[in-house]
Amino acid sequence: MNGRTCRVLLVVLLVACASIAAAQDTGYVVFAKHYLERGNHLTVPRPAQISAPLSVFASRGEYEPASFAVRAERDLEAVRVELTGDLLGPDGAVIPADAVKIRVVELMNRWLDSGTFERVECFLIRNRPRDVAADTTQRWWLTVRVPDDAPAGRYETRVRIAPANAEATEIPLRVEVLPLALGRARGMNYFMYFHLSYFPEELRTPEYVRNCYIDMREHGMTTCTVYAWPGDAGKVGVDRDRFPTNLPMAAQMDLLRETGLVANWGAAPWIGAECYGSAIWRMVLDEGRQGGWPEMLWYLVDEPNEARLPTVEAVMGRVAEHRAQCPDAVFRTTTAGAAWEPVSHLYDVWIAGCYIDEATIARGHEMGREIWTYDCGLAPVDAITDRHYFGIWTWAAGLRGASHWAYWDGQVVNRWNLKAAWRDSEDDLRDYTTTLSYIYPKSDEIIPSIGWEAVREGIDDARYLLALEEALERGSEVGLPQKLLDGAQAALDEVRASVHVNSLGEERTRCKQLGEQTGRSGVRDFERRPPEPDLRADDYDRMRYAAAQQLMHVLDALRERGIELDLRAGRQPGESAQPTPMQALPPREGLEGDPYLLEACEDLDKVNVTFAQKHWDPTGSRELRIGTLEISTDEKVQGEGSVHWTVAAEDVAARRAEVEDLGVLPLDYLYGRLWGPIDEVRFHIKCESPRHPPLYALLSASGASPSMTILDRDEATDGWREIVWDVRDAEIGVSERWGKIVWLFRFYAQGAAFEADDGIDLYLDNIRLITAPAQDVSPQFD
């Protein structure tokens, strides 16, 4: 061991000893942790992170995050985090304390199956006192918004961490304000798929959409999707929509203009355009010209494949007819997956999958196509991939847009991998798994995720690089010194050399295949490795800072020539629009907080997200069902209602006239999941009709399907009765392909047992699956 190694080890040992001593004094350790690094409640600090200052740099008007964590050696109560005061800068300059937003990093249960989960950092909730249990870690997130008029220089304040039952600790927060004011990412089309129909009914208002648009704009977006079907009740017009869950096209476009979301070069994909032809297309174009709308791209047939190829050909035939008949009514076409070779010649703008490779990009450029990308498979927990994708990867690949599915798609699932009801509560962020949505829509705020904040940072990387390219081009035109230009070019070259364009898609594909091989849920979405393993978290900051320094050098040299390059040119009037206050809705009542609840029996339209079918009365068995199915809001055990199934003797007689063998009279609930270590199936029934056949419940599996009698002939329940079915030793069939899968919960009567004066009048409520307590299998981070 040489002397240098010994000195390094000694320093590490001293720092570790100091942290242990600090923890002994206060009961906890505070440590800085780069926001791009993953963490959870088991994260342990590295020696260099302990009591380190939070240091960031930013241009005027820019947002910049930092994060730190508390590792508790004993239970900490009501830990408060706040700034000790304003950030003080040069010559008395001040960044007010309220320009720094503090949020608590919330842990989300990522359900691996119904019995195991891991806790992952995901959403950023409002700052408030927080208990931290012994031997756990809690992270906080700070976002500085530099005022537009802040003088350049270094600013500092302190962050105070104050448990109610322990001594307070303070760490420095330092902000370097650069003498720069950047504009939006020039020429880039950044967007999130945004469909109002996915939002809860209470939030489908122009006011809420307006706030969403402002939130997108403040996170770097330069355009947005427009989901619109201009017409209803046999009438057409941009001031109406076929679907009541949607805002009319004109209302959406007005809000886009009012908020300045779409940049002056931006184009908004119109999803719904394929449903129409030349007359409606011409009407939309005319309305857009009169209303001063931004360009709209006709989004035609989502994600084309072999099965959808005839639809693509038919729609593109209508496009060709329109262009021939109306040469003055021009529009460009696009869709997700447009780079697929059999159709790529038909689309003007490709929204290619983020797994696009260099060869496909080169083919698109040779064809004169504008290329954007989308990722429909990244959970909002992977900050480094989000920053990389929206930032240096898109820039280095020479693309003109990037996007995610989705801003919010409502696909939040519980431990059974079934869609959970929106509760307008932060409990949703902890209890359920959010896979692809980058925000959580609460009635009184829009809650960001780690991924959403990292998307903005990636776009900021692009803003610096694009500004440097612009300055370098101008500097070359006016003959600035070659040494200066070479320095700027070297900063750009370093970034470009650090990006292997194919690696982003290769890692996504690797994780997708790994998930398929192992059967583990969410591997593609949650378990991607950094797309560039050689780039550390702070390398992204270092390269951005180098680009910023070179940009300042070139701008200074241009000013010496009397040239002032305005990097913020082209601002939209609405870019200064501020969000409107939002009011919390009254608390929602329901059963969704029950960890064992599978089905609350309150919604017949609830969809099984895996099979894209309704849970109740699924497609495969719908023709077998007899009678009437409805939700009763009068009869219920808890919650808002129960499922009510009635079968009259006339219904059975009519079916017997149609079929030779009636078989069973079923009511099915689509489960379609791996059957884990479940001890009991519980549900409530109510049946007070005097005449009915015996009624049964069955777990429909591949092969052996256990069943039980829930009511004997003519047996009444005398009110609600809970059925407790012990299934620990139940024999459930195993499929060679799928394993032990239960497809359906079936409630039924035997057709042969249904007598002439029988009927069924059955209420069902609150299906629960009782298991052993779920196991936390979270990995440990440092």
Side-chain angles (χ1 to χ4, degrees):
M1 184 180 296
N2 59 36
R4 182 179 182 279
T5 302
C6 289
R7 288 192 298 274
V8 170
L9 290 175
L10 179 60
V11 169
V12 170
L13 181 61
L14 290 173
V15 171
C17 290
S19 69
I20 294 171
Q24 289 174 342
D25 289 341
T26 63
Y28 63 95
V29 171
V30 178
F31 61 101
K33 185 170 181 61
H34 200 289
Y35 70 89
L36 290 181
E37 295 180 332
R38 293 202 186 196
N40 60 18
H41 57 302
L42 302 179
T43 301
V44 294
R46 300 189 294 271
Q49 296 174 323
I50 295 170
S51 299
L54 304 177
S55 299
V56 302
F57 67 90
S59 298
R60 299 182 184 107
E62 185 179 341
Y63 295 86
E64 191 62 29
S67 74
F68 72 91
V70 169
R71 178 71 181 178
E73 301 297 325
R74 57 183 175 85
D75 289 345
L76 301 178
E77 299 174 1
V79 180
R80 298 181 64 88
V81 174
E82 57 193 4
L83 300 188
T84 59
D86 297 335
L87 290 90
L88 305 181
D91 301 322
V94 169
I95 295 177
D98 62 9
V100 181
K101 300 301 181 186
I102 303 174
R103 287 186 174 265
V104 181
V105 181
E106 189 60 276
L107 289 166
M108 176 178 74
N109 286 348
R110 176 202 168 192
W111 289 98
L112 305 176
D113 56 46
S114 62
T116 57
F117 65 91
E118 65 178 29
R119 305 180 75 189
V120 295
E121 293 177 330
C122 186
F123 287 99
L124 308 176
I125 65 174
R126 285 173 174 164
N127 187 34
R128 61 176 68 94
R130 182 85 166 199
D131 294 341
V132 184
D135 299 319
T136 68
T137 298
Q138 175 63 57
R139 183 157 27 172
W140 276 263
W141 188 287
L142 290 73
T143 303
V144 182
R145 202 281 186 182
V146 178
D148 293 341
D149 58 354
R154 297 180 185 274
Y155 295 73
E156 184 167 339
T157 189
R158 299 185 72 79
V159 181
R160 181 178 175 82
I161 302 97
N165 62 339
E167 183 181 344
T169 299
E170 295 181 2
I171 58 173
L173 171 62
R174 298 167 183 162
V175 178
E176 179 183 357
V177 176
L178 305 177
L180 293 170
L182 302 181
R184 302 170 80 177
R186 190 74 59 85
M188 297 298 296
N189 287 271
Y190 289 119
F191 71 97
M192 303 293 284
Y193 281 84
F194 177 84
H195 189 3
L196 190 60
S197 294
Y198 293 128
F199 282 69
E201 181 179 358
E202 298 91 329
L203 306 185
R204 296 177 196 144
T205 66
E207 294 77 16
Y208 203 89
V209 171
R210 180 181 184 278
N211 284 346
C212 291
Y213 285 169
I214 291 173
D215 180 57
M216 291 184 217
R217 185 198 69 206
E218 293 302 292
H219 280 80
M221 302 297 112
T222 57
T223 187
C224 186
T225 54
V226 175
Y227 284 78
W229 292 265
D232 71 274
K235 299 179 180 180
V236 297
V238 295
D239 59 346
R240 57 184 71 237
D241 197 274
R242 182 194 306 174
F243 300 104
T245 56
N246 209 32
L247 283 185
M249 177 184 285
Q252 294 182 60
M253 301 307 289
D254 288 345
L255 288 169
L256 288 173
R257 182 177 59 247
E258 179 185 335
T259 59
L261 172 55
V262 182
N264 56 9
W265 58 81
W270 170 25
I271 299 175
E274 69 188 67
C275 299
Y276 303 101
S278 186
I280 301 298
W281 293 342
R282 182 78 185 236
M283 177 195 73
V284 170
L285 289 167
D286 290 344
E287 292 284 352
R289 276 192 288 267
Q290 294 172 18
W293 295 355
E295 179 190 5
M296 297 174 70
L297 301 179
W298 267 229
Y299 191 104
L300 305 175
V301 189
D302 187 48
E303 296 185 333
N305 54 30
E306 290 289 349
R308 297 174 182 175
L309 195 53
T311 305
V312 174
E313 293 171 345
V315 172
M316 289 302 180
R318 298 202 301 271
V319 171
E321 291 176 6
H322 170 83
R323 286 174 171 170
Q325 296 170 6
C326 309
D328 59 327
V330 178
F331 56 78
R332 293 191 295 166
T333 58
T334 190
T335 195
W340 184 46
E341 197 156 4
V343 301
S344 59
H345 63 288
L346 299 172
Y347 292 97
D348 303 305
V349 176
W350 293 358
I351 306 178
C354 68
Y355 39 83
I356 192 171
D357 57 24
E358 288 182 295
T360 305
I361 293 171
R363 175 169 62 86
H365 288 157
E366 289 173 3
M367 295 171 65
R369 297 308 190 255
E370 186 173 315
I371 307 176
W372 306 1
T373 60
Y374 77 109
D375 194 340
C376 184
L378 186 64
V381 302
D382 189 349
I384 199 163
T385 298
D386 275 316
R387 180 171 175 179
H388 183 86
Y389 166 49
F390 273 80
I392 64 176
W393 181 84
T394 297
W395 172 81
L399 309 180
R400 306 310 297 172
S403 64
H404 263 320
W405 179 278
Y407 189 67
W408 166 259
D409 69 358
Q411 301 304 318
V412 178
V413 298
N414 59 20
R415 65 188 299 176
W416 316 111
N417 200 27
L418 302 175
K419 184 177 179 180
W422 176 79
R423 296 180 291 183
D424 195 23
S425 168
E426 291 175 0
D427 291 340
D428 289 355
L429 312 180
R430 294 181 281 268
D431 298 345
Y432 304 143
T433 302
T434 299
T435 302
L436 300 177
S437 294
Y438 272 67
I439 61 95
Y440 176 83
K442 204 164 176 292
S443 58
D444 60 344
E445 67 168 325
I446 297 167
I447 299 179
S449 65
I450 286 173
W452 188 222
E453 300 305 286
V455 163
R456 174 161 56 197
E457 291 309 299
I459 294 172
D460 282 348
D461 288 336
R463 291 168 66 211
Y464 279 93
L465 296 169
L466 292 166
L468 181 54
E469 285 185 319
E470 184 180 349
L472 182 59
E473 181 180 358
R474 186 71 174 120
S476 299
E477 291 173 356
V478 301
L480 292 183
Q482 192 61 43
K483 184 177 180 180
L484 179 66
L485 301 177
D486 289 346
Q489 188 62 53
L492 296 172
D493 291 344
E494 181 192 6
V495 176
R496 190 170 280 109
S498 73
V499 177
H500 301 87
V501 172
N502 292 3
S503 66
L504 187 68
E506 289 169 354
E507 177 58 17
R508 184 184 187 276
T509 300
R510 183 194 71 83
C511 286
K512 182 175 182 292
Q513 292 173 345
L514 180 61
E516 293 169 350
Q517 293 164 6
T518 62
R520 194 165 70 247
S521 174
V523 175
R524 177 202 63 183
D525 310 321
F526 285 92
E527 299 182 23
R528 295 195 212 176
R529 299 175 301 197
E532 296 293 346
D534 293 336
L535 287 181
R536 301 185 310 272
D538 56 4
D539 285 330
Y540 288 85
D541 300 333
R542 178 186 55 78
M543 291 191 295
R544 182 195 290 183
Y545 193 76
Q549 294 298 311
Q550 293 299 325
L551 175 59
M552 290 186 289
H553 294 330
V554 175
L555 292 177
D556 287 343
L558 288 171
R559 290 189 191 99
E560 292 176 359
R561 301 281 186 96
I563 301 170
E564 190 68 39
L565 195 61
D566 183 5
L567 299 174
R568 305 193 75 185
R571 284 175 59 83
Q572 298 284 73
E575 288 184 29
S576 59
Q578 297 299 306
T580 53
M582 296 188 281
Q583 299 297 320
L585 295 171
R588 296 169 66 89
E589 297 181 0
L591 299 169
E592 293 289 339
D594 184 337
Y596 302 113
L597 183 70
L598 172 70
E599 172 58 48
C601 300
E602 299 170 348
D603 182 4
L604 293 179
D605 294 323
K606 187 175 178 181
V607 173
N608 183 306
V609 295
T610 300
F611 296 93
Q613 295 184 39
K614 293 180 180 180
H615 282 291
W616 290 104
D617 216 19
T619 304
S621 56
R622 187 171 300 157
E623 292 184 359
L624 298 176
R625 185 178 61 77
I626 300 175
T628 302
L629 193 62
E630 62 183 2
I631 294 296
S632 170
T633 57
D634 297 324
E635 298 288 347
K636 55 191 175 184
V637 179
Q638 292 172 286
E640 299 178 2
S642 64
V643 170
H644 187 202
W645 179 36
T646 57
V647 181
E650 302 81 49
D651 298 326
V652 176
R655 181 60 60 89
R656 280 176 170 158
E658 297 173 356
V659 298
E660 184 174 334
D661 181 11
L662 184 57
V664 298
L665 285 67
L667 168 61
D668 288 342
Y669 175 86
L670 178 60
Y671 179 68
R673 288 288 176 272
L674 181 69
W675 192 253
I678 295 169
D679 298 333
E680 296 174 348
V681 178
R682 297 184 182 184
F683 51 92
H684 286 81
I685 62 171
K686 182 178 180 180
C687 179
E688 298 180 347
S689 57
R691 290 284 298 170
H692 64 77
L695 297 176
Y696 307 90
L698 174 138
L699 302 178
S700 178
S702 299
S705 300
S707 65
M708 73 169 295
T709 302
I710 59 174
L711 283 176
D712 292 326
R713 166 165 286 283
D714 300 339
E715 180 183 3
T717 59
D718 190 21
W720 284 98
R721 177 188 298 177
E722 185 176 25
I723 303 297
V724 179
W725 184 5
D726 188 332
V727 295
R728 280 172 289 194
D729 299 321
E731 184 179 350
I732 296 175
V734 179
S735 161
E736 288 186 10
R737 180 178 182 185
W738 303 107
K740 187 184 286 188
I741 298 286
V742 169
W743 299 108
L744 299 170
F745 288 18
R746 172 166 286 181
F747 305 92
Y748 69 99
Q750 295 287 355
F754 201 99
E755 298 179 355
D757 56 349
D758 277 348
I760 297 175
D761 189 353
L762 180 68
Y763 295 89
L764 290 162
D765 205 2
N766 302 341
I767 303 173
R768 291 179 171 87
L769 302 181
I770 308 302
T771 71
Q775 299 298 307
D776 183 351
V777 295
S778 302
Q780 186 178 78
F781 294 93
D782 59 14

